[in-house]
């Protein structure tokens, strides 16, 4: 496949065994007999001002309903900001604004203030990337394929580490608690317009928050129905898929039935399968949320057609194998193991230049998963690394060089970049664009998104020269941030990613060699001659 890894860890060739087929354990017992979970959704739907039955409206010292969201960063200690680096390869002409913001934005979307904030915190890409020059040099924009609809900006949990509510960006305070029907109708029109313009075979919707299940069951599918109707009219060849990402506390038979009827799959965020793993996941009175989430997951496990999987952030304080095996009790079809959202100015817990604690944690899980005998679940991080090692396409934005293709639509109709950027600085995800004033084609030329579609050209020189660049891809974009410099550093997890990738490469190559050695003899060759579909030679290893 034309690539090799030096220093003793070759890239495996095509033809290795497929580790992706899940073999989930039997579903747990019916949770119908479990105690009922108090459901604040009805009150929230009656009055959007009602944020939580146990809490008054937000105050600066104690924010109102917050978000477990899709990823759960554990914060580290902020480092002092560094002076900006010299200008990078792609420059904007002197004096040129980093991007165009036409007049007419709502008052709180001040284009000048947004430009100044981006320029101060992240010169790359906001003052050093000339998108027009990049286009002239041959970089073509990739259409948006995933649309995250923030149907709720408040949450029934108050997780102590949430990136939406507890990290740098506090923009949730200015968002309406609920996305209105008019807003998701406008979103549907814009999504359909984009799908038709680019003849997209598929678009993926994610209902997100806040906690999207605060919506009453009868209304959960309304945003998805609106998008499907608009897309069917404007782009009939485009298929629309939908998932909802939830903390699981409000999963009930009624909600699952409504979601299943609309073809909306369910992903759940959890820190592990035991109460001890979830001490940071509490409600607004400080009470643990694990019991209700576990009941919801047991119910979801009995509906595999609706079950998308579980997301879990790596917590160095927890035993990795115990965390993995405890999650298997909920029969997830897939597990997403996420590195905590952190960066060079706010490094993750345990970060040290001479240690690799996150690689050690993840490799303990990998060894247990890889040698399990049966594949009881998929672990997306490991499968993505394997696919990238084999030169196969992936859809991940956390590894590899796949162009970013996600847009976030806030409850007020603002178009933003990926939520994970909220871990970097106030307003890091903002674009100054709204559904009323901008199309998603205009969003493609925003420098924040354009930088994430440039592949190698957007990476630090050290990353571009690295032999693992096609697999690592410089790491997850928010992990590259340094205050005053922006997003053109190697990942803050660089030291962990390298041994993780090399170890997985060696494991896959070993499996390939074993498969070749055990293959039946070819029609003319001696025992051990590779059979059809088995590489005749091991992957090349450079000295």
């Amino acid at each position: 496949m034309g690539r090799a890894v030096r220093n003793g860890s070759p890239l495996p060739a095509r033809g290795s065994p497929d580790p992706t087929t899940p073999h989930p354990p039997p579903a747990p017992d019916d949770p119908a007999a479990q105690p009922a979970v108090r459901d604040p959704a009805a009150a929230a739907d009656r009055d959007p001002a009602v944020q939580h039955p146990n809490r008054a409206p937000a105050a600066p010292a104690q924010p109102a309903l917050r978000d477990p969201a899709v990823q759960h960063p554990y914060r580290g200690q902020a480092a002092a900001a560094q002076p900006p680096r010299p200008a990078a390869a792609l420059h904007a002409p002197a004096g040129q604004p980093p991007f165009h913001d036409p007049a007419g934005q709502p008052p709180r979307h001040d284009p000048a203030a947004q430009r100044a904030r981006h320029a101060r915190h992240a010169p790359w890409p906001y003052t050093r990337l000339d998108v027009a020059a990049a286009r002239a040099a041959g970089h073509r924009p990739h259409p948006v394929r995933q649309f995250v609809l923030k149907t709720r900006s408040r949450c029934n949990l108050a997780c102590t580490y949430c990136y939406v509510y507890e990290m740098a960006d506090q923009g949730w305070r200015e968002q309406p608690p609920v996305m209105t029907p008019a807003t998701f109708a406008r979103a549907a029109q814009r999504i359909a317009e984009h799908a038709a313009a680019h003849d997209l075979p598929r678009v993926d919707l994610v209902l997100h928050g806040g906690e999207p299940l605060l919506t009453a069951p009868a209304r959960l599918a309304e945003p998805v129905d609106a998008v499907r109707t608009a897309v069917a009219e404007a782009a009939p060849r485009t298929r629309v898929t939908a998932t909802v990402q939830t903390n699981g506390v409000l999963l009930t038979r009624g909600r699952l039935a409504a979601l299943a009827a609309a073809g909306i799959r369910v992903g759940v965020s959890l820190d592990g399968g035991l109460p001890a793993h979830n001490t940071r996941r509490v409600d607004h009175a400080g009470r643990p949320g694990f019991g209700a989430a576990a009941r919801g997951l047991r119910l979801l496990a009995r509906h595999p057609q609706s079950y998308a999987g579980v997301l879990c952030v790596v917590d160095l304080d927890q035993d990795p194998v115990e965390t993995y095996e405890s999650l298997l009790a909920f029969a997830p079809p897939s597990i997403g193991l996420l590195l905590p959202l952190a960066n060079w100015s706010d490094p993750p817990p345990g970060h040290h230049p001479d240690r690799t604690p996150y690689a050690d944690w993840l490799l303990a899980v990998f060894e247990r998963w890889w040698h399990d005998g049966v594949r009881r679940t998929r672990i997306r991080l490991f499968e993505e690394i394997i696919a990238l090692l084999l030169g196969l396409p992936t859809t991940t934005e956390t590894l590899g060089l796949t162009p970013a293709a996600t847009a976030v639509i806030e409850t007020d109709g603002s178009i933003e970049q990926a939520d994970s950027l909220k871990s970097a600085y106030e307003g890091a995800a903002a674009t100054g664009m709204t559904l009323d004033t901008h199309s998603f084609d205009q969003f493609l030329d925003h420098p924040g998104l354009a930088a994430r579609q440039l592949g190698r050209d957007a990476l630090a020189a050290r990353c571009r020269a690295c032999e693992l660049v096609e697999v690592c891809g410089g790491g997850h974009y928010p992990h590259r941030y340094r205050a005053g410099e922006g997003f053109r550093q190697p990942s803050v997890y660089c030291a962990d990613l390298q041994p993780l990738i090399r170890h997985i490469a060696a494991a896959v190559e070993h499996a390939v060699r074993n498969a070749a050695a055990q293959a039946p003899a070819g029609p003319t060759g001696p025992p051990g001659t590779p059979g059809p579909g088995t590489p005749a030679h091991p992957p090349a290893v450079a000295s």
Side-chain angles (χ1 to χ4, degrees):
M1 59 198 206
R3 288 182 287 151
V5 177
R6 292 186 287 274
N7 301 325
S9 291
L11 295 177
R14 295 180 184 271
S16 60
D18 179 4
T20 62
T21 304
H23 297 277
D29 293 338
D30 193 324
Q34 299 292 339
V37 179
R38 183 176 182 182
D39 184 351
D45 279 318
R46 285 194 299 270
D47 182 0
V50 175
Q51 297 181 326
H52 193 275
N54 299 321
R55 174 165 291 187
Q62 192 174 31
L65 300 179
R66 299 178 244 178
D67 182 11
V70 168
Q71 300 184 30
H72 314 301
Y74 306 122
R75 299 198 66 187
Q77 298 297 318
Q82 302 295 322
R85 288 184 175 180
L90 296 172
H91 301 266
Q96 175 181 303
F99 55 91
H100 175 61
D101 282 296
Q105 301 294 345
R108 70 183 190 84
H109 296 290
D110 182 344
Q114 286 186 352
R115 285 196 294 268
R117 186 162 49 242
H118 283 312
R120 181 171 67 255
H121 290 286
W124 173 264
Y126 292 101
T127 63
R128 297 176 185 168
L129 171 60
D130 182 350
V131 176
R135 299 284 183 254
H139 287 290
R140 300 272 71 83
H142 294 259
V144 179
R145 298 177 185 274
Q146 182 182 71
F147 299 87
V148 179
L149 303 179
K150 293 281 192 171
T151 59
R152 293 276 177 164
S153 65
R154 307 296 192 265
C155 185
N156 56 330
L157 291 186
C159 302
T160 60
Y161 51 77
C162 179
Y163 73 90
V164 171
Y165 303 100
E166 299 295 340
M167 296 192 79
D169 192 318
Q170 292 293 297
W172 68 273
R173 296 176 183 276
E174 300 178 6
Q175 287 293 334
V178 183
M179 181 180 285
T180 66
T183 299
F184 58 67
R186 185 62 174 142
Q189 294 171 353
R190 287 296 196 188
I191 292 168
E193 169 188 271
H194 195 68
H198 297 276
D199 195 21
L200 297 180
R202 191 183 86 188
V203 296
D204 301 322
L205 304 181
V206 181
L207 304 184
H208 202 274
E211 174 47 57
L213 294 191
L214 283 167
T215 301
R219 300 183 61 190
L220 279 171
E222 287 180 354
V224 177
D225 291 341
V227 173
R228 285 181 172 147
T229 298
V231 168
E233 294 175 357
R237 293 191 297 179
T238 302
R239 183 166 64 95
V240 178
T241 72
T243 59
V244 59
Q245 190 65 32
T246 173
N247 58 39
V249 169
L250 297 176
L251 280 174
T252 62
R253 291 184 183 279
R255 285 188 174 83
L256 279 172
L259 293 167
I264 302 171
R265 301 178 72 214
V266 181
V268 178
S269 302
L270 201 67
D271 293 345
L274 298 175
H277 301 150
N278 292 274
T279 57
R280 295 175 174 90
R281 298 177 62 77
V282 297
D283 69 11
H284 294 271
R287 297 169 299 200
F290 175 76
R295 289 191 290 273
L297 267 167
R298 286 193 290 267
L299 180 60
L300 179 59
R302 297 183 64 84
H303 299 79
Q305 74 282 358
S306 297
Y307 200 171
V310 173
L311 293 181
C312 176
V313 170
V314 171
D315 183 353
L316 298 181
D317 291 336
Q318 305 300 331
D319 179 85
V321 174
E322 178 187 70
T323 300
Y324 163 64
E325 293 186 337
S326 66
L327 287 172
L328 291 177
F330 296 114
S334 73
I335 296 175
L337 295 177
L338 308 173
L339 292 169
L341 279 172
N343 55 64
W344 291 104
S345 295
D346 192 1
H351 183 258
H352 190 280
D354 299 325
R355 292 194 289 269
T356 59
Y358 291 91
D360 298 342
W361 199 100
L362 288 166
L363 286 173
V365 179
F366 175 80
E367 286 296 299
R368 180 70 179 88
W369 176 77
W370 184 252
H371 297 290
D372 206 8
V374 295
R375 194 67 71 234
R376 292 191 284 167
T377 189
R378 305 177 65 178
I379 298 186
R380 294 197 326 224
L381 174 63
F382 303 153
E383 292 183 359
E384 288 163 355
I385 290 174
I386 292 167
L388 289 162
L389 286 165
L390 297 173
L392 301 175
T394 69
T395 58
T396 180
E397 292 185 10
T398 58
L399 292 167
L401 299 171
T402 300
T406 297
V408 176
I409 303 169
E410 288 284 355
T411 54
D412 67 350
S414 301
I415 300 172
E416 295 203 340
Q417 303 173 70
D419 257 10
S420 54
L421 292 175
K422 294 179 184 291
S423 62
Y425 59 89
E426 181 70 44
T431 65
M433 301 181 181
T434 73
L435 294 170
D436 288 335
T437 59
H438 293 80
S439 69
F440 288 111
D441 271 18
Q442 290 173 292
F443 174 60
L444 296 179
D445 282 331
H446 185 275
L449 181 67
R452 301 182 70 180
Q453 295 194 342
L454 293 178
R456 288 173 181 261
D457 289 344
L459 302 182
R462 177 175 143 199
C463 294
R464 295 196 300 271
C466 179
E467 61 204 356
L468 300 178
V469 64
E470 291 189 36
V471 180
C472 173
H476 195 20
Y477 192 78
H479 296 164
R480 307 176 203 170
Y481 176 71
R482 188 189 295 274
E485 297 183 26
F487 297 91
R488 214 177 196 191
Q489 288 68 236
S491 168
V492 72
Y493 293 104
C494 179
D496 293 279
L497 290 171
Q498 292 196 45
L500 176 67
I501 294 169
R502 293 183 187 280
H503 184 99
I504 293 175
V508 175
E509 188 207 10
H510 180 73
V512 171
R513 291 180 184 273
N514 281 349
Q518 296 170 12
T524 59
T529 300
T534 304
H537 302 284
V541 183
S543 59

